[in-house]
Amino acid sequence: AKQVGHNHFQFFVASIDHDIRERKQLEKELALALPNHELFVVYQPQVNLANSRVVGAEALLRWQHPEKGLIPPDRFIPIAEANGTIVEIGQWVLDQACWQAAQWSREGSPIRIAVNLSAVQLRQESIVNDILETLKRHKLSASQLELEVTETSFMTNIKDAVDKLHKLNRAGIRIAVDDFGTGYSSLTYLKQMPVQYLKIDKQFISDLLNNEDDTRIANTIIDLGKSLNLTVIAEGVETEEQEVYLNERGCQIGQGYYYSKPVIAREFERFVKAFHAE
Ligand code: C2E
Ligand code: CA
Ligand code: CA
Ligand code: CA
């Protein structure tokens, strides 16, 4: 039995070693992803539940690896955050998204574009200027940009985060709290933060109508939004039943596969036309 335990231990160490090497390899390749044009941005519609109009789009990053195929952001964003390359990558996403939103405006369909802002980016001293410069460069109105930040962004230095978000907010940019309810001390931070949107995480939506806890959590977030005068966005809407429930319960915006998966810009345009023609 001892022998088996020993072998198990060796196997365990070997598999950790393998994970570390794989991560190191991915990290090396990620450094080349941007210059090699392997990154691209997809857009997922956000729909006003009361009138079924597309009011916005969330920009989501994709990595098309030459051999490994499509690598999901959950696998490479943490690496980019750990080594700091998320600063450059995040700025690139912001540039792409602002250019695209400005282009859609010129074509007569102005919508709000939501971009994920990593805690690491928010900690950069130049971030406020970088974002305002980006808007200027693309001639995009600040009111068309929404930044999605998670509660963990506020945790390292709350005063600094509040300060920067206030500056962005005063310039006209909207702020959304992403993955709301999955972090810590939500209410404490919420009181101090200049935010306009709460996003209910998809983990509470996927089982919304079967799991009483999830129903209660979603209801609580919707009520909180109402009492703080915030717009509530539900992420991960996959069925008509969920849409109907959320709308009747007072959630204003829905996003999820029920409408569309995140798609490239041209497909997004086709989706909007077809959706509005229905
Ligand atoms: P997130 O910000 O919470 O984004 C929502 C995720 O839910 C996206 O996953 C989206 O594709 C997925 N989703 C939307 N509707 C549905 C649905 O109905 N069903 C299911 N099962 N999933 C749905 P994605 O694109 O894989 O992104 C994962 C995470 O990676 C994001 O979570 C975000 O935290 C991060 N991420 C993606 N792009 C960026 C970026 O440009 N910058 C930063 N900092 N993070 C990003
Ligand atoms: Ca998000
Ligand atoms: Ca997230
Ligand atoms: Ca989420």
Side-chain angles (χ1 to χ4, degrees):
K2 231 179 192 167
Q3 189 61 38
V4 171
H6 187 231
N7 284 343
H8 272 291
F9 180 69
Q10 282 189 329
F11 175 75
F12 182 60
V13 171
S15 91
I16 290 182
D17 189 51
H18 175 261
D19 285 355
I20 291 173
R21 256 184 297 156
E22 200 176 73
R23 194 182 154 107
K24 277 249 168 345
Q25 181 65 26
L26 213 56
E27 184 173 7
K28 240 171 55 194
E29 291 164 348
L30 183 59
L32 295 171
L34 202 50
N36 286 352
H37 308 288
E38 292 162 17
L39 300 182
F40 64 102
V41 177
V42 287
Y43 300 89
Q44 189 177 34
Q46 297 184 334
V47 175
N48 179 329
L49 295 177
N51 63 14
S52 291
R53 303 295 294 179
V54 176
V55 288
E58 178 175 5
L60 292 155
L61 185 58
R62 294 292 179 264
W63 179 10
Q64 184 67 51
H65 189 285
E67 290 110 37
K68 293 169 185 156
L70 205 60
I71 301 178
D74 286 331
R75 272 193 65 206
F76 68 86
I77 299 260
I79 297 176
E81 289 184 319
N83 72 13
T85 50
I86 190 66
V87 172
E88 194 189 341
I89 292 173
Q91 176 59 46
W92 182 81
V93 173
L94 184 70
D95 257 305
Q96 297 287 308
C98 288
W99 178 85
Q100 188 59 70
Q103 183 61 23
W104 282 332
S105 286
R106 285 189 286 271
E107 290 167 2
S109 7
I111 56 165
R112 219 173 8 81
I113 196 90
V115 178
N116 292 285
L117 189 71
S118 160
V120 178
Q121 289 177 274
L122 190 60
R123 263 185 252 133
Q124 300 297 305
E125 196 163 351
S126 64
I127 190 66
V128 173
N129 269 332
D130 294 345
I131 293 170
L132 297 180
E133 278 296 311
T134 307
L135 286 174
K136 246 191 237 161
R137 194 160 57 247
H138 297 291
K139 298 189 172 65
L140 183 69
S141 156
S143 64
Q144 275 183 264
L145 179 63
E146 175 185 334
L147 296 171
E148 298 192 355
V149 296
T150 58
E151 293 157 275
T152 36
S153 307
F154 312 150
M155 284 169 52
T156 25
N157 185 345
I158 181 146
K159 198 186 158 301
D160 181 62
V162 173
D163 199 54
K164 284 167 175 164
L165 293 181
H166 264 298
K167 282 180 182 147
L168 293 166
N169 210 202
R170 271 199 303 271
I173 296 166
R174 322 275 177 90
I175 311 292
V177 184
D178 209 354
D179 301 341
F180 187 73
T182 64
Y184 299 101
S185 310
S186 316
L187 299 180
T188 317
Y189 293 122
L190 202 57
K191 237 185 78 178
Q192 308 182 45
M193 286 296 158
V195 303
Q196 288 72 47
Y197 295 93
L198 290 184
K199 283 195 89 169
I200 310 177
D201 190 69
K202 61 176 180 292
Q203 77 176 78
F204 303 120
I205 303 299
S206 63
D207 218 12
L208 180 67
L209 297 169
N210 306 311
N211 182 316
E212 280 183 30
D213 287 338
D214 290 350
T215 314
R216 270 195 287 267
I217 291 172
N219 289 348
T220 303
I221 298 177
I222 293 168
D223 291 340
L224 183 67
K226 219 174 275 165
S227 62
L228 294 177
N229 213 6
L230 305 174
T231 301
V232 179
I233 304 174
E235 168 190 285
V237 178
E238 292 190 355
T239 68
E240 185 179 359
E241 289 73 31
Q242 291 166 349
E243 177 191 63
V244 169
Y245 179 84
L246 289 162
N247 181 37
E248 284 175 353
R249 197 58 185 67
C251 175
Q252 294 97 330
I253 296 175
Q255 173 183 348
Y257 294 174
Y258 177 58
Y259 308 103
S260 167
K261 289 197 170 182
V263 291
I264 57 168
R266 279 185 54 185
E267 257 178 76
F268 182 88
E269 292 161 16
R270 272 201 293 273
F271 166 81
V272 174
K273 265 197 204 113
F275 190 75
H276 285 166
E278 265 175 26

